[in-house]
Amino acid sequence: MKVTLEQWGIEGTVYERIVQVLLYVTVFLVPIFYLPWTSSVLEYNKQILLVAAASVGLIVWLLGVVVTGKLTMRRTPVDKGILAVLVATVIATGFSMVHAKSIFGLSVSLSSSLVSVLSLSVLYFLIVNTLHDRGRMLRRILMVSLGLGLLTGIAQLFGRYVLPGAFTHSQSFSTFGTVNSLGIIAALALPLFAKLGKPGRAWSVITVLGVVASVLTVAVLNWWVLWTVALAGMLAMIAFDAINAS
């Protein structure tokens, strides 16, 4: 069976296709990305990856607008919320007493910095305006990456150090950060894995492995917050399906 680029969600102009491939690679890498050459092997490197992807993607998209002479903007109900968070972050940075830390973040917390929020906002904008399959392939790629991260995290918890690098030889290390972060990701991903099902053996295997990894992670950590998040996510998914079916 011949697989076409359109089946992988890669379609449109050559510039849109470049941005789409960039988005897919970025979304796949972010959950499992780390490098051993910096003081913060996780957050700092993930931030650099986000900034690089957002910058390159925006430049390519703008180049496509200039070359084709067409500017099409899509709107979603989430736009105002994303814009509100970005504006609030800019204002908070402007009134900050330490502008450098507010812009780039601290070594132990980079996710709330202006650079990170701006990069995520740009990536959201690119996703909305360049993907033509309503993000289906992007979600599948994200779930594959989350599944790999959860499986390696479970292996680490049981003392099976499968990640490269001597510094990863610790039960508390995962590509998501702390053990609590691993648990929260597992609880949030559980309903998404359950919803991933698609005809085809490969996606069925990914769904089963993802559900097993998520449940096993939550069960091993056995924290009531994780069970609550997982249950709330499953109920929300059922509610959304009921609304869509009505």
Side-chain angles (χ1 to χ4, degrees):
M1 180 179 176
K2 185 178 180 180
V3 179
T4 63
L5 291 177
E6 285 72 18
Q7 289 177 300
W8 284 93
I10 303 175
E11 53 185 306
T13 67
V14 63
Y15 300 98
E16 287 181 326
R17 294 187 179 205
I18 293 173
V19 175
Q20 289 161 6
V21 171
L22 177 66
L23 290 172
Y24 293 151
V25 172
T26 302
V27 167
F28 178 79
L29 286 178
V30 166
I32 59 176
F33 188 70
Y34 70 91
L35 291 174
W37 306 303
T38 59
S39 58
S40 177
V41 297
L42 290 176
E43 281 202 85
Y44 179 75
N45 296 294
K46 291 179 189 292
Q47 185 191 60
I48 294 297
L49 177 62
L50 288 175
V51 171
S55 302
V56 174
L58 183 60
I59 291 173
V60 174
W61 183 81
L62 290 174
L63 182 60
V65 171
V66 173
V67 172
T68 61
K70 296 180 180 179
L71 175 60
T72 303
M73 300 289 291
R74 300 174 187 165
R75 294 183 178 181
T76 73
V78 185
D79 290 350
K80 293 182 179 179
I82 298 295
L83 183 60
V85 172
L86 179 58
V87 171
T89 305
V90 172
I91 295 174
T93 302
F95 284 97
S96 173
M97 299 186 67
V98 187
H99 289 90
K101 292 182 179 180
S102 297
I103 294 174
F104 300 103
L106 300 172
S107 59
V108 294
S109 180
L110 301 174
S111 58
S112 59
S113 66
L114 176 60
V115 168
S116 296
V117 173
L118 180 59
S119 299
L120 291 171
S121 300
V122 170
L123 289 174
Y124 164 80
F125 166 81
L126 292 175
I127 289 171
V128 170
N129 288 278
T130 61
L131 299 186
H132 300 284
D133 64 347
R134 304 184 68 179
R136 294 187 185 91
M137 182 55 64
L138 191 73
R139 188 182 71 172
R140 291 165 189 156
I141 291 174
L142 174 62
M143 299 317 296
V144 170
S145 182
L146 289 179
L148 289 174
L150 290 174
L151 289 174
T152 57
I154 279 291
Q156 296 283 126
L157 289 176
F158 284 102
R160 302 293 182 179
Y161 306 125
V162 297
L163 295 173
F167 64 92
T168 67
H169 293 180
S170 169
Q171 290 180 302
S172 62
F173 181 85
S174 78
T175 59
F176 301 122
T178 65
V179 173
N180 287 341
S181 298
L182 175 66
I184 291 295
I185 292 295
L188 291 173
L190 180 58
L192 297 179
F193 278 119
K195 186 67 176 175
L196 185 63
K198 180 191 176 204
R201 184 176 180 181
W203 291 111
S204 298
V205 171
I206 292 172
T207 298
V208 172
L209 288 177
V211 170
V212 170
S214 298
V215 172
L216 188 57
T217 302
V218 174
V220 168
L221 298 179
N222 198 26
W223 184 25
W224 69 269
V225 173
L226 303 182
W227 291 111
T228 302
V229 171
L231 179 61
M234 295 298 293
L235 292 176
M237 193 66 68
I238 294 173
F240 289 144
D241 287 342
I243 293 174
N244 292 331
S246 61

